[in-house]
Amino acid sequence: MLRLLGEVEDEGALSWQDRALCAQTDPEAFFPEKGGSTREAKRVCTSCEVRTECLEYALEHDERFGIWGGLSERERRKLKRRAI
């Protein structure tokens, strides 16, 4: 039973994903090949209502690939370093 409660809490914590614009967009734009453009993904993120939640999730879970909250992995690393 405890495990089920944890799963429900996790689902509630991730409910922002249902409203994310990237869920309605080609996922390949958010995970470009090395040297590929991130412009399209970042443009989508700019108008997304859950951009902040997305970025917070990526920072908390140390997401190493893709565009999250409008930032690349390198940009998220810089942001984390400045916060320390």
Side-chain angles (χ1 to χ4, degrees):
M1 182 69 167
L2 183 59
R3 185 167 186 217
L4 289 175
L5 289 174
E7 290 173 8
V8 170
E9 287 176 16
D10 287 344
E11 288 176 16
L14 297 177
S15 65
W16 59 267
Q17 290 181 342
D18 294 336
R19 300 186 323 274
L21 290 179
C22 60
Q24 305 162 27
T25 310
D26 180 10
E28 289 186 28
F30 293 87
F31 295 93
E33 292 184 24
K34 188 172 182 161
S37 176
T38 60
R39 193 173 302 134
E40 177 64 21
K42 289 181 176 187
R43 185 186 63 74
V44 171
C45 292
T46 300
S47 57
C48 184
E49 70 179 74
V50 295
R51 179 179 180 182
T52 302
E53 292 92 331
C54 180
L55 180 56
E56 287 173 357
Y57 175 87
L59 294 171
E60 289 173 12
H61 293 88
D62 199 28
E63 288 291 343
R64 295 178 187 242
F65 301 100
I67 305 301
W68 290 80
L71 299 181
S72 67
E73 191 268 333
R74 182 198 293 151
E75 293 165 329
R76 291 191 305 274
R77 262 197 328 259
K78 281 184 181 179
L79 186 63
K80 280 182 112 170
R81 277 195 298 254
R82 280 187 266 157
I84 295 176

